[in-house]
Coordinates of all heavy atoms in Angstrom, one line a residue:
R176 N -108.0 -186.7 91.0 CA -109.1 -186.9 90.1 C -109.7 -188.4 90.1 O -110.8 -188.6 90.1 CB -108.8 -186.5 88.7 CG -108.6 -185.0 88.5 CD -109.9 -184.3 88.8 NE -110.0 -182.8 88.6 CZ -110.3 -182.2 87.4 NH1 -110.8 -183.0 86.4 NH2 -110.2 -180.9 87.3
Q177 N -108.8 -189.4 90.2 CA -109.2 -190.7 90.2 C -110.0 -191.0 91.6 O -111.1 -191.6 91.5 CB -108.1 -191.8 90.2 CG -107.2 -191.8 88.9 CD -106.0 -192.5 88.9 OE1 -105.3 -192.5 90.0 NE2 -105.7 -193.1 87.8
V178 N -109.4 -190.5 92.7 CA -110.1 -190.7 93.9 C -111.6 -190.0 94.0 O -112.5 -190.7 94.3 CB -109.3 -190.2 95.1 CG1 -110.0 -190.3 96.5 CG2 -108.0 -190.9 95.1
V179 N -111.6 -188.8 93.5 CA -112.9 -188.0 93.6 C -113.9 -188.7 92.5 O -115.1 -188.8 92.9 CB -112.7 -186.5 93.4 CG1 -114.1 -185.9 93.3 CG2 -111.9 -186.0 94.5
A180 N -113.4 -189.2 91.5 CA -114.2 -189.8 90.5 C -114.9 -191.1 91.1 O -116.1 -191.3 90.9 CB -113.4 -190.2 89.3
L181 N -114.1 -191.8 91.8 CA -114.7 -193.0 92.5 C -115.7 -192.6 93.6 O -116.7 -193.3 93.8 CB -113.5 -193.9 93.1 CG -112.8 -194.7 92.1 CD1 -111.5 -195.2 92.6 CD2 -113.5 -195.9 91.5
C182 N -115.4 -191.6 94.3 CA -116.3 -191.1 95.3 C -117.6 -190.6 94.8 O -118.6 -190.7 95.4 CB -115.7 -189.9 96.1 SG -114.3 -190.4 97.2
Q183 N -117.5 -189.9 93.5 CA -118.7 -189.3 92.9 C -119.5 -190.6 92.3 O -120.8 -190.4 92.2 CB -118.3 -188.4 91.7 CG -117.7 -187.1 92.1 CD -118.7 -186.1 92.5 OE1 -119.8 -186.4 92.8 NE2 -118.4 -184.8 92.5
A184 N -118.8 -191.6 91.9 CA -119.7 -192.8 91.4 C -119.3 -194.0 92.2 O -118.5 -194.9 91.7 CB -119.2 -193.0 89.9
P185 N -119.8 -194.2 93.3 CA -119.3 -195.3 94.2 C -119.7 -196.6 93.7 O -119.1 -197.5 94.1 CB -120.1 -195.0 95.6 CG -121.1 -194.0 95.2 CD -120.6 -193.3 94.1
F186 N -120.6 -196.7 92.7 CA -121.0 -198.0 92.2 C -119.8 -198.5 91.4 O -119.8 -199.8 91.2 CB -122.2 -197.8 91.3 CG -122.2 -196.7 90.2 CD1 -121.3 -196.9 89.1 CD2 -122.7 -195.5 90.6 CE1 -121.4 -195.9 88.1 CE2 -122.6 -194.5 89.6 CZ -121.9 -194.6 88.4
L187 N -118.8 -197.7 91.0 CA -117.8 -198.2 90.3 C -117.0 -199.2 91.2 O -116.2 -200.0 90.7 CB -116.8 -197.1 89.8 CG -117.5 -196.2 88.6 CD1 -116.4 -195.1 88.2 CD2 -117.7 -197.1 87.4
L188 N -117.0 -198.8 92.5 CA -116.1 -199.7 93.5 C -116.7 -201.1 93.5 O -115.9 -201.9 93.9 CB -116.3 -198.9 94.9 CG -115.5 -197.6 95.0 CD1 -115.9 -197.0 96.3 CD2 -114.1 -197.8 94.9
A201 N -105.8 -195.5 94.9 CA -106.9 -194.7 94.7 C -108.1 -195.2 95.2 O -109.0 -194.6 95.7 CB -107.0 -194.2 93.2
R204 N -108.2 -195.0 98.9 CA -108.5 -193.7 99.5 C -110.0 -193.3 99.3 O -110.6 -192.6 100.1 CB -107.5 -192.7 98.7 CG -106.2 -192.6 99.3 CD -105.9 -192.4 100.7 NE -106.0 -191.0 100.9 CZ -105.0 -190.1 100.7 NH1 -103.9 -190.5 100.1 NH2 -105.1 -189.0 101.1
A205 N -110.5 -193.7 98.0 CA -112.0 -193.3 97.8 C -112.8 -194.1 98.8 O -113.8 -193.3 99.5 CB -112.4 -193.8 96.4
K206 N -112.6 -195.2 99.3 CA -113.3 -196.0 100.4 C -113.2 -195.2 101.7 O -114.1 -195.1 102.5 CB -112.8 -197.5 100.5 CG -113.3 -198.3 99.3 CD -112.8 -199.8 99.3 CE -113.3 -200.6 98.2 NZ -112.7 -202.0 98.1
H207 N -111.9 -194.8 102.0 CA -111.6 -194.0 103.1 C -112.4 -192.8 103.2 O -113.1 -192.5 104.3 CB -110.1 -193.6 103.2 CG -109.7 -192.6 104.0 ND1 -109.8 -192.7 105.5 CD2 -109.3 -191.3 103.8 CE1 -109.4 -191.5 105.9 NE2 -109.2 -190.6 104.9
Y208 N -112.5 -192.0 102.1 CA -113.2 -190.7 102.3 C -114.7 -191.0 102.3 O -115.4 -190.3 103.0 CB -112.9 -189.8 101.1 CG -111.5 -189.2 101.3 CD1 -110.5 -189.4 100.4 CD2 -111.2 -188.4 102.4 CE1 -109.2 -188.8 100.5 CE2 -110.0 -187.8 102.7 CZ -109.0 -188.0 101.6 OH -107.7 -187.5 101.8
L209 N -115.2 -192.1 101.5 CA -116.7 -192.3 101.6 C -117.0 -192.7 103.0 O -118.2 -192.4 103.5 CB -117.0 -193.3 100.6 CG -117.1 -192.8 99.1 CD1 -117.1 -194.0 98.2 CD2 -118.2 -191.9 98.9
T212 N -118.1 -189.9 105.3 CA -119.2 -189.2 105.0 C -120.5 -189.9 105.7 O -120.4 -191.0 106.1 CB -119.6 -188.9 103.5 OG1 -119.9 -190.2 103.0 CG2 -118.4 -188.4 102.8
G215 N -122.2 -190.4 101.5 CA -121.5 -190.1 100.3 C -121.5 -188.5 100.0 O -121.9 -187.8 100.8
L216 N -121.2 -188.3 98.7 CA -121.0 -186.9 98.4 C -122.2 -186.0 98.2 O -122.2 -184.8 98.2 CB -120.1 -186.7 97.0 CG -118.5 -186.8 97.2 CD1 -118.1 -187.9 98.0 CD2 -117.9 -186.8 95.9
G217 N -123.3 -186.7 98.2 CA -124.5 -186.0 98.1 C -125.1 -185.5 99.5 O -126.3 -184.9 99.4
P446 N -117.3 -182.6 97.7 CA -116.1 -183.2 96.8 C -114.8 -182.2 97.1 O -113.8 -182.8 97.1 CB -116.7 -182.9 95.4 CG -118.1 -183.0 95.6 CD -118.5 -182.4 96.9
I449 N -112.8 -183.3 99.9 CA -112.0 -184.5 99.6 C -110.8 -184.0 98.8 O -109.7 -184.6 99.2 CB -112.9 -185.5 98.9 CG1 -113.9 -186.1 99.8 CG2 -111.9 -186.7 98.4 CD1 -114.9 -187.0 99.2
L453 N -106.9 -184.6 99.9 CA -105.9 -185.2 99.1 C -104.7 -184.3 99.0 O -103.5 -184.7 98.8 CB -106.5 -185.5 97.7 CG -107.5 -186.7 97.8 CD1 -108.4 -186.7 96.5 CD2 -106.7 -188.1 97.8

Side-chain angles (χ1 to χ4, degrees):
R176 287 296 184 98
Q177 288 172 327
V178 175
V179 176
L181 287 166
C182 291
Q183 290 278 21
F186 50 83
L187 293 175
L188 292 166
R204 286 300 279 288
K206 287 176 176 170
H207 158 71
Y208 286 120
L209 286 170
T212 69
L216 272 53
I449 294 172
L453 288 158

